[in-house]
């Protein structure tokens, strides 16, 4: 909104102000979303790492079972199974809150994007209820020559 108000108070052309507001808003939203990518990676990879630990634990349990031969004892399997369950639990304990936080933050960014769009649209368009009383401001269009182009550029800065 501050960008739009600055452009309007400087009496810059509306299309130029809209373009700058759009650029500024898109950049702000990009910066917010950029910070969410690590959470996406953590939320996606932690269950997979837990699953990998589960497979490794089961492999260890079956290797111990094979090494025991005919002397099968349930205690031999317990170490590998314990490792498998622990890694699964840790992977899920990491993934669940990270995915929940990611969804919450994405929702907030989406709400912010909607609010930004809504406010800028309200700034540049008259209300429908006031449409019958709305009068476009009288603007004078001057041809763009080298001298007034420099003056316009200097006033924009």
């Amino acid at each position: 909104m501050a960008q739009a108000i600055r452009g309007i108070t400087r009496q810059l052309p509306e299309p130029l102000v809209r373009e700058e507001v759009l650029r500024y808003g898109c950049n702000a939203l990009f910066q917010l979303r950029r910070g969410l990518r690590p959470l996406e990676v953590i939320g996606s990879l932690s269950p997979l790492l837990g699953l990998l630990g589960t497979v490794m634990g089961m492999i260890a349990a079956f290797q111990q079972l094979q090494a025991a031969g005919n002397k099968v004892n349930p205690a031999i399997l317990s170490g590998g199974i314990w490792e498998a369950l622990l890694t699964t639990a840790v992977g899920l304990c990491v993934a669940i809150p990270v995915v929940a936080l990611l969804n919450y933050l994405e929702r907030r960014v989406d709400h912010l994007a909607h609010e930004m769009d809504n406010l800028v649209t309200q700034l540049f368009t008259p209300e429908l209820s006031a449409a019958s009383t709305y009068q476009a401001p009288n603007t004078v269009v001057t041809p763009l020559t080298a001298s007034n182009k420099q003056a316009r550029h200097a006033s924009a800065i």
Side-chain angles (χ1 to χ4, degrees):
M1 287 298 290
Q3 292 291 96
I5 292 171
R6 273 190 221 109
I8 291 170
T9 56
R10 289 181 180 173
Q11 297 179 346
L12 296 174
E14 184 179 316
L16 181 68
V17 176
R18 282 180 184 251
E19 185 67 27
E20 174 57 18
V21 168
L22 180 63
R23 184 205 62 80
Y24 186 85
C26 287
N27 187 50
L29 292 173
F30 172 78
Q31 294 297 325
L32 289 172
R33 288 186 177 116
R34 190 176 99 192
L36 299 179
R37 186 69 181 140
L39 292 177
E40 287 181 49
V41 171
I42 292 169
S44 298
L45 288 183
S46 56
L48 294 175
L49 290 173
L51 180 60
L52 176 64
T54 300
V55 170
M56 298 301 288
M58 295 307 290
I59 289 171
F62 283 110
Q63 283 177 336
Q64 291 171 358
L65 184 62
Q66 180 185 16
N70 291 337
K71 300 177 186 177
V72 177
N73 182 354
I76 294 173
L77 295 175
S78 65
I81 294 172
W82 177 84
E83 179 185 334
L85 293 174
L86 179 65
T87 57
T88 301
V90 169
L92 292 174
C93 285
V94 170
I96 291 169
V98 168
V99 169
L101 177 64
L102 174 64
N103 285 327
Y104 170 75
L105 292 174
E106 283 178 338
R107 185 84 170 137
R108 295 227 13 214
V109 170
D110 288 345
H111 279 273
L112 178 64
H114 174 74
E115 189 64 24
M116 288 167 60
D117 186 46
N118 187 38
L119 289 173
V120 170
T121 301
Q122 286 178 1
L123 183 67
F124 286 109
T125 57
E127 291 184 44
L128 288 178
S129 61
S132 61
T133 60
Y134 176 74
Q135 294 179 352
N138 292 332
T139 57
V140 177
V141 178
T142 57
L144 196 58
T145 62
S147 61
N148 67 8
K149 183 177 183 182
Q150 287 176 341
R152 183 178 285 177
H153 178 69
S155 68
I157 296 174

